[in-house]
Each structure stands twice: as structure tokens, then as C-alpha cells.
């Protein structure tokens, strides 16, 4: 498994020669299997984390609902991000890990497709909306929650090859 953490090209691909925003033409790109893995974290009061763990938050199963919200967000990414291509996703997975020592929930999302453009934005959207859903469902007891560390961890497929975050 080779890793090609290539540096960015130095050009912004969503702008034409005149500086006008446009949707990137992917018509000549090969269809390849593309996978992106992202993560992010929400930190909260210990009592809030205990409610989530017990599954008895006032609004219900917080992580179950956040998982569905994350999957929906991945499917709707091109509606949210103006220049993203609609993608026929073949898989979206959203997983959570409770981290008691830091009073936080780590969210990881994986998006996959076979196509002409990557799925990084779909995986990032999934993590972001899943974490926002946790905030929404718990804000009645903890408005000081902090969402952070949302980032691409890994991607494969396409011309640029494989990327692994350090």
C-alpha cells in the first residue's frame, strides 16, 4: 500500500483563468474506487457525556440519530457545498467512540464511491453534521460543548493516489 501525500498543486481548481468560480470538469477523469475517512470530536461536560452513554437524553438516542444525520449529510453534500458534484455514494459509515477521559465523543465517517471525483467533502459533511446533531440534541443541558478537529484522515483513489494524515 503506497502513500502519496503529494503537496497541493498550488492552484485553486474551482476558479477559471479569469478568476470566476466554476464547477471543475471531471468528464475526462477515470472512474476509480474512491474512499475518504474523516474524523472530528465534540467535548462536553461529564454529565452530558453520561446522558449520551446512558441513552436516556430527553430527545432520545443521541448517537443513533447523529449517525443517521451524518449519513444524510453525506448524501446531500452537493446541495450544501455549491461547487461539489453530486456523487453516487456506494457506502457511508458513521461511527462514534466515547472518550471518558476527555469528556468527548469522537466521530469517524467513511464515504465511498466509484466515480470521477473524490468523496472527501461527503465524509467531512457526515462528520460535521453528526457532531452538530449531538450538539443540537444536548444543548438544553450543555451549551458550552466544543466541536473541533474535523479533518481528513485518509483518502484513496483518483489521480492523486493515497493520502494519510500524519
Amino acid at each position: 500500500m503506497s502513500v502519496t501525500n503529494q503537496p497541493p498543486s498550488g492552484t485553486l481548481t474551482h476558479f477559471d483563468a479569469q478568476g470566476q468560480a466554476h464547477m471543475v470538469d471531471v468528464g475526462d477523469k477515470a472512474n476509480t474506487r474512491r474512499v475518504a475517512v474523516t474524523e472530528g470530536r465534540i467535548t462536553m461536560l461529564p454529565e452530558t457525556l453520561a446522558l449520551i452513554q446512558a441513552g436516556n437524553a430527553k430527545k432520545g438516542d443521541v448517537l443513533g440519530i447523529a449517525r443517521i444525520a451524518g449519513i444524510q449529510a453525506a448524501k446531500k453534500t452537493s446541495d450544501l457545498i455549491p461547487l461539489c458534484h453530486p456523487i453516487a455514494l456506494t457506502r457511508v459509515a458513521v461511527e462514534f467512540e466515547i472518550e471518558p477521559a476527555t469528556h468527548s465523543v469522537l466521530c469517524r465517517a467513511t464515504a465511498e464511491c466509484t466515480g470521477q471525483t473524490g468523496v472527501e467533502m461527503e465524509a467531512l459533511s457526515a462528520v460535521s453534521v453528526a457532531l452538530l446533531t449531538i450538539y443540537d440534541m444536548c444543548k438544553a443541558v450543555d451549551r458550552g460543548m466544543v466541536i473541533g478537529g474535523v479533518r481528513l484522515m485518509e483518502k484513496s483513489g483518483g489521480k492523486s493516489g493515497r493520502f494519510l494524515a500524519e
Side-chain angles (χ1 to χ4, degrees), residues 15-111:
F15 294 96
D16 64 17
Q18 292 76 40
Q20 303 281 323
H22 70 99
M23 186 180 238
V24 175
D25 181 1
V26 298
D28 291 334
K29 293 173 83 176
N31 280 318
T32 61
R33 182 170 182 264
R34 295 163 185 267
V35 179
V37 179
T38 58
E39 74 175 26
R41 177 176 280 104
I42 185 165
T43 304
M44 61 198 68
L45 295 171
E47 299 80 17
T48 309
L49 187 61
L51 283 174
I52 291 172
Q53 284 182 285
N56 61 3
K58 187 175 182 179
K59 293 185 179 181
D61 176 12
V62 173
L63 298 183
I65 294 166
R67 178 177 292 108
I68 298 301
I71 293 167
Q72 276 187 297
K75 292 166 45 176
K76 294 289 191 178
T77 299
S78 66
D79 292 334
L80 300 169
I81 314 273
L83 300 177
C84 279
H85 293 82
I87 293 178
L89 294 166
T90 57
R91 177 175 177 257
V92 177
V94 178
E95 300 167 348
F96 300 99
E97 185 178 321
I98 303 287
E99 298 179 324
T102 58
H103 318 293
S104 62
V105 177
L106 175 69
C107 178
R108 286 192 187 92
T110 302

